[in-house]
Amino acid sequence: MEILIIVVSVVLLVSVVAVLVAVRRRPRGEVLEPSVEERRESLDHATDPVLLADDQPPLAAEDLTAPEIEIEEILPGVLPREVFIVGPEVADDERLTDEELERLALGEVELEEPAAAEELVPPTFQGRLGRARSAMAGFVGSILARSTIDATTWDDLEEALILADVGVGPTTELLDSVRATVKERKITTTEDLISAVKDEMKSRLAGPVTLERSSDGPTVWLFVGVNGVGKTTTIGKVGHRLTSEGTSVVMAAGDTFRAAAAEQLGTWADRCGAQLVRGSEGGDPSSVVFDAITAAAARNVEVVLADTAGRLHTKTNLMEELRKVRRVAEKAEGTVTEVLLVLDATTGQNGLQQARQFADVSDLTGVVLTKLDGSAKGGIVFAIRSELDLPVKLVGLGETAADLVDFDANAFVDALFDRNGE
């Protein structure tokens, strides 16, 4: 039995040795990879690579699943010697862009100067008084629909003017004058009546709109008004207009009590190329204005635009401060030719009350009416002119610098009564 076991073991051992000798073994450390011949043979059965020739169109979406590697030459080793990644051709406009960038990097191309900013076109009263015109349109249409002038016609006219914030007193005076004209000219049609109303309003609104300049030393324009009416923005827009005309400008940040007022004015000064004089927050406003005028005189600057404090007009200390600013400004080496009250047109009769308060202390020369494009109360223009005898010199019809325009009585009245809105 033992002999049998030994014989079987010898036979199994010989069999194992024979198998090991028959198997081809690789040397220790050799990379286990196919031979060059095996690799060539496998490539012959692989899917052909997709190559793009110069005359071929770009790849379609379904072609993107095909291999995009082209093997130039196979050499022994893990990777071929050269591998090219191919795909859709670069579009002509992209290739040009790349070439331009390369030339730019080499200094062969100079960047073009940026195109000049588009010139801002001033708006028209006709185009910007839509809300005020809409408030009048119903009454005007109702009046023109009548064939004769009667008591109801006069009532409609009176209501339309009062609702437009012309004011009761000015409305009464205006219609009394129109009645006399109707009687004198023997007007019988409502169309001629509306024409007579327009003519009377134009004549009453007529007045100087030119901002006066001094021929001796810097011209000084003071801007007064309560906070929130757009006073600082108005100064910035006036400065933009002046510098665009070639006039040198210094802006005085005299509203030292309102937070960020100097920064806001400084932004406008940077935009239009004006100089800025400012003081410490909470400092003396009249000192800032005086220093600005002195600096303008020393630098031969033509115009000084002075911002002032804008606390509520009911505060006595504000009015006293404005008186002081005016006195100090007149002692400097410039000439105060304009004191402009800035009013928000949307406040209506409240704006008229502000005008009365400021007129008592500032010797106002005119009014700047902001936000007129957003107001349905365009009659405030007429109320200011009639009750305070102050000309409206500038009006704001939008947000941009070009939207601050000279007041034109004829264009204003025509736009207010225009039924077509063209």
Side-chain angles (χ1 to χ4, degrees), residues 124-128 133 414-415 418-422:
T124 63
F125 287 90
Q126 199 86 349
R128 295 293 177 88
R133 181 169 51 246
D414 287 340
D418 180 29
R419 298 179 62 201
N420 298 321
E422 297 176 354

Side-chain angles (χ1 to χ4, degrees), residues 117-122 211 221 223 232-251 265 267-275 303 305 394 399-404:
E118 183 179 355
E119 184 178 356
L120 297 177
V121 179
L211 298 176
W221 295 344
F223 293 79
T232 303
T233 300
T234 296
I235 294 173
K237 292 180 178 181
V238 172
H240 182 275
R241 173 192 287 196
L242 291 173
T243 55
S244 298
E245 296 170 352
T247 302
S248 54
V249 174
V250 165
M251 295 182 179
L265 194 62
T267 300
W268 276 105
D270 292 339
R271 288 179 183 176
C272 63
Q275 302 176 49
V303 177
L305 306 178
L394 297 170
E399 298 295 329
T400 70
D403 292 333
L404 184 69

Side-chain angles (χ1 to χ4, degrees), residues 317-353:
N317 59 342
L318 170 61
M319 296 303 159
E320 290 301 323
E321 187 63 47
L322 292 177
R323 288 191 180 97
K324 179 182 177 182
V325 169
R326 177 67 186 264
R327 291 195 305 268
V328 172
E330 290 178 338
K331 292 179 180 179
E333 301 179 50
T335 304
V336 179
T337 61
E338 296 285 353
V339 181
L340 300 171
L341 173 63
V342 183
L343 293 177
D344 182 344
T346 62
T347 59
Q349 289 295 311
N350 185 49
L352 184 62
Q353 177 64 21

